[in-house]
Amino acid sequence: MRRFAVLLLAGLLLGDCTKHYDPPQGRWIGHFESPQVVVVAWLEILPGGDIRVSAPDYLDVGEPTADQRDTMHKRLASDLSDSWGTVKTRRYEFDGHVFRKEGGVAPQMEWDTNKKEMKVVFYFGMQHSIRIPMTQVKNFGDDPWLP
């Protein structure tokens, strides 16, 4: 009887590990600015679970003037829009909250089901990661700095 209980518990635990979660579908935009990085991101999760994400950036920007910031914003928006058609779809493992590269450990995106909030995890160099809050949109626009 004890062996049966252990096998039942092991089966329940293993069954929970293989539970399949469908990722949320849609499109999101987001951006982040600091003296270390300026980044803008587009994310699209397709009905079959394939994902496209692009996040062009500038590193070590310091304290740019208003004109320099405007130039950076326009360049990043142009880079994002111009390259979107060539962004390849990828598959990620999704546990209902965190997206990881297949077989990977590091979080790539985070989804809060209760709040319906998406974050893209951005890694730059050997420094820490940042989480970019994303806003869900119907379509991507010309200015990714505005939701």
Side-chain angles (χ1 to χ4, degrees):
M1 186 65 158
R2 185 175 181 187
R3 186 181 313 188
F4 176 73
V6 170
L7 289 174
L8 179 62
L9 182 59
L12 289 173
L13 290 174
L14 288 174
D16 191 43
C17 291
T18 60
K19 188 171 181 179
H20 174 74
Y21 294 92
D22 290 324
Q25 298 173 24
R27 293 179 177 151
W28 290 264
I29 62 171
H31 54 84
F32 179 87
E33 291 188 57
S34 75
Q36 290 79 33
V37 64
V38 176
V39 61
V40 63
W42 280 358
L43 166 67
E44 181 176 33
I45 302 177
L46 301 167
D50 287 336
I51 297 173
R52 295 191 318 162
V53 62
S54 180
D57 64 84
Y58 282 108
L59 299 178
D60 298 321
V61 296
E63 298 293 332
T65 66
D67 286 343
Q68 290 170 327
R69 174 173 277 122
D70 185 54
T71 299
M72 282 190 292
H73 282 199
K74 287 178 181 174
R75 176 65 187 263
L76 290 173
S78 175
D79 289 351
L80 192 59
S81 179
D82 291 349
S83 68
W84 186 247
T86 63
V87 175
K88 299 200 183 312
T89 59
R90 295 182 181 175
R91 284 285 184 171
Y92 291 85
E93 295 173 356
F94 179 59
D95 66 9
H97 173 66
V98 177
F99 293 83
R100 290 180 174 85
K101 291 180 181 177
E102 291 183 335
V105 176
Q108 302 298 305
M109 293 161 288
E110 298 172 339
W111 171 246
D112 186 324
T113 303
N114 297 327
K115 296 179 182 178
K116 305 289 188 227
E117 291 178 351
M118 180 71 74
K119 292 180 182 172
V120 168
V121 183
F122 181 78
Y123 298 91
F124 54 105
M126 296 301 291
Q127 300 179 26
H128 66 283
S129 61
I130 56 174
R131 278 148 174 79
I132 303 171
M134 304 295 283
T135 301
Q136 192 162 21
V137 295
K138 185 174 183 172
N139 293 305
F140 297 125
D142 292 335
D143 189 353
W145 301 95
L146 299 173

